[in-house]
Amino acid sequence: MKILFVLTSHDKLGDTGKKTGFWVEEFANPYYTLLDKGADITLATPKGGAAPIDPSSNTPDASTADTERFEKDPVAQEKIKNTKVLADMNADDFDAVFYPGGHGPLWDLANDANSIALIEKFNEQKKPIAFVCHAPAALKSVKSNDGEFLVKGKKVTGFTNTEEDAVQLTDVVPFLVEDALKENGGIYSKGEDWAAYALQDGNLITGQNPASSELVAEKLLASLN
């Protein structure tokens, strides 16, 4: 099992002067879930090099068994500091792709031509494509072979408008994940705010929030077995 993880390179939270990046739990849980089952995982970002960690996800409050394992794992830490350049990645070399969230992807991966082309290629090859929390933002401009938006007519979820409101970033983010999925024709549904909720429609797997990362990883794993 060769799996590509695509993370954000973006670390500025709009004009707030605060930092963002990827959400540690949404990386750590799927990373270890898949790694422990023997997956060979490659990490890539639009710029390559260090993937920025969202400081809000790196606090005692946001800590989980997986984030603690990551904190003590020099190999994983090294991988995060030295990600590959996304443009150099080829879907032919992997069995699946996974996008962890955090607010960063709303700014870069949503509009990144290399990311869009890569997801389209994975989809064309009918390989699993998985996204959690804010990462479905990366599907915003992705099309299917028929020229329609990839999410059109598909069951999808992602960070809810009410969750974005709860973290008081509705007016900071460039767009809302829930709205973008609906506007592109996705059949959007959600669980309770902050509860684990994930959906699979064919090869497309989406999770609602950080708590959903484990469900997404499990669905991805099942798709590969």
Side-chain angles (χ1 to χ4, degrees), residues 5 23 81 103 147 209:
F5 275 39
W23 201 261
K81 289 187 187 123
H103 282 88
N209 49 31

Side-chain angles (χ1 to χ4, degrees), residues 8-179:
T8 182
S9 287
H10 187 87
D11 69 350
K12 290 183 182 62
L13 193 58
D15 301 326
T16 61
K18 293 180 178 156
K19 291 289 191 190
T20 188
F22 74 90
W23 201 261
V24 181
E25 160 66 4
E26 295 167 26
F27 161 77
N29 179 287
Y31 178 79
Y32 291 117
T33 300
L34 296 161
L35 190 75
D36 292 347
K37 289 286 190 287
D40 177 359
I41 300 170
T42 301
L43 309 186
T45 54
K47 294 179 180 172
I53 291 174
D54 187 316
S56 307
S57 72
N58 210 10
T59 63
D61 283 353
S63 174
T64 65
D66 295 301
T67 63
E68 284 167 22
R69 183 172 166 188
F70 172 66
E71 287 301 318
K72 301 183 183 116
D73 182 346
V75 176
Q77 297 263 355
E78 199 58 29
K79 278 189 171 185
I80 286 291
K81 289 187 187 123
N82 297 286
T83 66
K84 311 269 192 222
V85 177
L86 189 54
D88 297 339
M89 298 296 105
N90 186 335
D92 297 343
D93 300 334
F94 300 96
D95 301 308
V97 67
F98 169 67
Y99 282 65
H103 282 88
L106 293 167
W107 278 274
D108 62 354
L109 294 170
N111 313 301
D112 187 281
N114 293 309
S115 174
I116 293 162
L118 194 71
I119 297 167
E120 289 176 348
K121 183 86 183 287
F122 271 101
N123 187 54
E124 205 177 291
Q125 296 176 347
K126 299 185 169 48
K127 291 173 178 172
I129 50 176
F131 308 82
V132 69
C133 197
H134 285 89
L139 291 162
K140 192 166 184 275
S141 299
V142 175
K143 303 272 179 79
S144 299
N145 284 351
D146 59 7
E148 298 280 7
F149 286 112
L150 186 144
V151 300
K152 188 178 179 183
K154 295 229 173 86
K155 294 183 187 127
V156 287
T157 190
F159 205 60
T160 67
N161 290 354
T162 45
E163 286 168 330
E164 200 65 84
D165 214 35
V167 295
Q168 300 179 322
L169 291 171
T170 303
D171 298 332
V172 173
V173 294
F175 62 92
L176 296 166
V177 174
E178 178 180 333
D179 288 355

